[in-house]
Amino acid sequence: MRRNLTDIDSLKALAHPLRQQMFTHLNRFGPATSADLATRFTVDRGAASYHLRQLERFGFVEEDTDRSAGRRRYWKAIALDLRLPYDSDDPTVSAAADAIGQQWMDQGQRDLHTYLADRTAFGEFGEAAMHSFSSTSLTAEELTRFAEEYVAFISRWHRYPVEATDGARPITVLFNAFPTPS
């Protein structure tokens, strides 16, 4: 589901580094409790719960009611095609969008560097991975269509970790399409 992040409160909620890490973790590895995330990110459970509630408040995560029992609440990411507002006239909105975009790029680069440092450790997944560099010439309208087709394609392949087939593992997919600087 496409979601244009245009309001400053949602952007600020997602721009927080710990929230971004928690959201990414839930997207990649599936549902977790606040205790699980507190341990994973070395924060106290109260802080983890607070940040999860903020992510829930702004529609990025929700309780996994199928797994939750009693006081033990599991949280899951909501599958979203998040779009950042790079064309905003509001400098606060632009700054928050830039911060989130930078976090996404940094995470992707860390993942790529870790993978490249020891491709053989990933076995058949390392052999199946692909890196491609290309360029093309498009009008602004064609670039918009190109990006939408890419999102539709990746959406067809999206699976929550709990829905994945046996033998599946989280896969990082990086996509950038932007005007080539002169």
Side-chain angles (χ1 to χ4, degrees):
M1 176 173 91
R2 179 177 175 162
R3 179 168 171 198
N4 294 320
L5 297 175
T6 56
D7 69 287
I8 189 61
D9 294 329
S10 293
L11 287 163
K12 284 181 178 178
L14 192 58
H16 189 282
L18 179 58
R19 291 182 199 145
Q20 188 65 232
Q21 291 174 324
M22 294 168 76
F23 180 63
T24 298
H25 184 83
L26 293 172
N27 268 295
R28 289 181 173 180
F29 302 107
T33 65
S34 60
D36 296 333
L37 295 170
T39 299
R40 170 72 177 94
F41 297 110
T42 321
V43 297
D44 67 70
R45 204 167 126 192
S49 291
Y50 170 77
H51 290 295
L52 283 165
R53 287 191 308 274
Q54 290 301 305
L55 288 169
E56 176 188 40
R57 178 178 169 205
F58 292 99
F60 297 109
V61 303
E62 63 188 1
E63 182 178 355
D64 184 347
T65 55
D66 293 338
R67 295 188 64 154
S68 296
R71 296 185 68 200
R72 188 169 176 85
R73 290 180 75 184
Y74 278 84
W75 296 90
K76 64 181 179 180
I78 296 173
L80 300 168
D81 165 20
L82 298 177
R83 305 286 178 101
L84 298 174
Y86 288 117
D87 58 351
S88 176
D89 292 332
D90 183 337
T92 308
V93 168
S94 292
D98 288 346
I100 294 168
Q102 188 63 55
Q103 288 174 13
W104 290 349
M105 291 302 299
D106 291 347
Q107 182 63 56
Q109 290 299 314
R110 283 191 302 273
D111 291 346
L112 180 59
H113 287 291
T114 299
Y115 162 72
L116 290 174
D118 189 10
R119 288 186 295 266
T120 60
F122 294 90
E124 66 183 338
F125 286 91
E127 294 172 19
M130 193 234 357
H131 301 281
S132 173
F133 175 83
S134 60
S135 63
T136 188
S137 297
L138 303 172
T139 66
E141 180 184 323
E142 290 169 332
L143 177 57
T144 298
R145 285 194 351 248
F146 177 84
E148 292 303 324
E149 288 179 28
Y150 169 80
V151 169
F153 174 77
I154 198 71
S155 295
R156 285 195 310 270
W157 285 92
H158 178 268
R159 293 185 196 111
Y160 283 112
V162 296
E163 299 168 344
T165 54
D166 288 341
R169 63 175 293 161
I171 302 296
T172 298
V173 180
L174 304 175
F175 172 75
N176 300 295
F178 54 89
T180 304
S182 300

